[in-house]
Amino acid sequence: MAPKLAALLPDLAPWRSSRDFRLLWSQGLVTYLGSVMALIALPLQIKELTGSPLAVGAMGAVELVPLVVFGLYGGALADAVDRRKVIVLTEAGLGLLAVVLLINAMLPRPSLWPLYVVAAGVAALAGLQRPALDSLLARIVPHDQLAAAAALNALRWQAGAIAGPALAGLVVAYAGSVPAYATTVACFAASVLMCRRLTPAPPVEHAARPSWRGIAEGARYAWSRPVLLGTYAIDLAAMFFAFPNTIFPFLADELDAEWSLGLMYSAGAVGSLLVSLTSGWVSRTRRHGLLVVFGAAGWGLAMAAAGWTSQVWLVLACLALAGAGDMLSGLGRSTIWNQTIPDRLRGRLAGIEVLSYSVGPQLGQVRAGAMAGWTGARPAIWSGGLACVAAVGLLTMALPKLLAYDSRTDEDAARRRAQEEGPAVPAPEPDGEIR
């Protein structure tokens, strides 16, 4: 293989060096394949029961409060208890909620209210689980392999996001929601078994019990770091203005292309996959803030184009370009987080990260659903894409240190690297004290 081509291929070092990374990667793929079945079946079931874009978008509002509350608490919990235990218990809880969806779908007349209750429960459990999952990565993967690990995790997500929505769209369209929810239940059962094989991940010595005071400590650290603030704010803005996934069923109707629904859900992952398959260069990149800014701006521009055009194949191409932009931004964010945040705060900061990349889509669903009910699906999409680009530009000007971030010279990245290498003298904490 030509050296230049080989340099573009994904770096497999994390897969080779860490058994726990292989387990988490495999578990995440199985979980995603199951979750995406419910992700498509749930809004489509609400659409069939109500016929209302607002009712579909309201799912985001229902999920918002549990996600915020349990996401923050989950971050504090991840710093205080065994992270493996949190992952196993929440994964089992998500499987039980999938059972509720399956039972409701099997009724002669499925009820609407359980769909919203389950959506809220999923948001709460995901908020508890995600900080433990995210904060585990920096512990099981060496510092110099974190960017490669982020790319491999994205590749896993894309594999599921391409095959899952296309398959789920066909299953739901031709077989109904019952087989989709049954698949979700089976996938979560398999995932729990894999999670139980992870190595225990106890908290650091003298870790404090979960508390709002501890959460506030993490928030103060994030607030004092303009680079971190920039990653959170740009992702939140991009998802709020330009995340129209829940109105894809209505976009497919407007384009008279109901057959394209599953492809719409998976098109973004195609673009992301192209970036991941050529992500070997990421391990050599040091300016990760550039990836965050330009990736998010590209996401917004591509979404604006997707809403503007009326040709379904052009819509799918634009959604793929949007996915590529989101992938670049996500790689930059994940690498900055893992390179700069100290381990004793990793869980709490992961809780804030959950809010930055999860609350935005929930609010985005509400925005897109409400606006689509007023203007139609296409204007709701293109106007949100343009607003995203404007917001990214304003935030970049307000937080210039994000654009200037360089892992070779950033003080927090150097401190995190020194702590991993085990210096003879304890590295100073961010407040300048040695603890």
Side-chain angles (χ1 to χ4, degrees):
M1 184 179 296
K4 290 184 178 180
L5 178 60
L8 291 175
L9 295 178
D11 184 353
L12 300 179
W15 181 273
R16 291 192 293 264
S17 65
S18 174
R19 167 187 173 274
D20 281 337
F21 179 79
R22 293 193 295 272
L23 277 173
L24 277 182
W25 196 96
S26 303
Q27 170 269 333
L29 178 61
V30 171
T31 295
Y32 188 84
L33 288 173
S35 298
V36 77
M37 288 283 180
L39 181 69
I40 291 180
L42 193 57
L44 201 57
Q45 195 175 12
I46 295 175
K47 175 179 178 287
E48 291 172 351
L49 291 173
T50 66
S52 167
L54 183 59
V56 176
M59 190 169 64
V62 168
E63 294 169 336
L64 182 59
V65 172
L67 188 61
V68 170
V69 174
F70 288 92
L72 289 172
Y73 185 78
L77 193 67
D79 282 336
V81 301
D82 189 320
R83 292 168 185 172
R84 184 191 68 164
K85 185 179 295 185
V86 175
I87 294 168
V88 171
L89 292 177
T90 51
E91 197 77 356
L94 289 167
L96 291 177
L97 290 177
V99 172
V100 174
L101 289 176
L102 176 60
I103 293 173
N104 182 63
M106 294 173 66
L107 296 176
R109 289 189 175 183
S111 298
L112 179 63
W113 65 266
L115 305 183
Y116 289 113
V117 171
V118 168
V122 167
L125 288 174
L128 284 175
Q129 182 191 76
R130 196 57 189 258
L133 274 172
D134 289 351
S135 61
L136 193 58
L137 184 64
R139 185 177 289 190
I140 65 176
V141 174
H143 188 276
D144 60 352
Q145 296 178 12
L146 287 172
L152 289 176
N153 278 340
L155 187 62
R156 173 200 65 196
W157 173 83
Q158 291 141 12
I162 292 172
L167 178 61
L170 292 174
V171 170
V172 173
Y174 294 103
S177 57
V178 171
Y181 293 142
T183 302
T184 302
V185 172
C187 287
F188 273 107
S191 176
V192 169
L193 295 177
M194 282 189 279
C195 289
R196 286 175 58 86
R197 297 180 59 202
L198 290 169
T199 303
V204 296
E205 190 176 358
H206 305 307
R209 297 181 62 181
S211 67
W212 290 110
R213 182 178 179 181
I215 293 171
E217 180 187 5
R220 285 194 300 271
Y221 178 87
W223 186 260
S224 69
R225 297 302 189 271
V227 173
L228 290 180
L229 275 183
T231 64
Y232 301 146
I234 283 180
D235 189 44
L236 186 64
M239 294 298 103
F240 172 73
F241 289 114
F243 189 81
N245 289 28
T246 54
I247 61 171
F248 281 169
F250 299 94
L251 177 61
D253 287 346
E254 288 186 17
L255 297 175
D256 194 25
E258 291 80 1
W259 55 268
S260 68
L261 178 59
L263 296 177
M264 288 182 183
Y265 280 109
S266 60
V270 173
S272 298
L273 180 63
L274 292 177
V275 173
S276 290
L277 290 176
T278 56
S279 64
W281 56 272
V282 173
S283 297
R284 301 183 295 277
T285 298
R286 300 295 180 264
R287 299 291 301 278
H288 302 101
L290 291 173
L291 299 183
V292 175
V293 171
F294 289 108
W299 158 269
L301 281 173
M303 279 296 181
W308 187 260
T309 183
S310 60
Q311 301 297 316
V312 65
W313 289 110
L314 287 177
V315 170
L316 294 173
C318 290
L319 292 176
L321 288 174
D326 187 48
M327 176 68 207
L328 287 175
S329 184
L331 283 175
R333 292 193 311 271
S334 177
T335 304
I336 289 172
W337 294 340
N338 284 316
Q339 284 182 343
T340 62
I341 297 172
D343 190 61
R344 70 180 185 87
L345 293 173
R346 194 67 193 84
R348 279 163 284 181
L349 270 293
I352 296 174
E353 291 156 19
V354 167
L355 301 188
S356 79
Y357 59 67
S358 298
V359 171
Q362 307 312 320
L363 292 175
Q365 291 181 81
V366 178
R367 184 210 67 83
M371 191 166 182
W374 177 39
T375 66
R378 289 177 58 202
I381 295 172
W382 67 255
S383 62
L386 293 179
C388 167
V389 176
V392 169
L394 291 173
L395 288 168
T396 301
M397 288 188 291
L399 298 165
K401 286 190 176 182
L402 174 62
L403 204 60
Y405 175 83
D406 189 320
S407 63
R408 294 167 296 188
T409 57
D410 182 82
E411 292 182 2
D412 290 323
R415 181 183 296 111
R416 180 75 179 86
R417 185 164 53 247
Q419 288 174 340
E420 182 182 282
E421 293 170 355
V425 178
E429 291 292 330
D431 57 6
E433 298 178 3
I434 295 179
R435 300 175 188 267

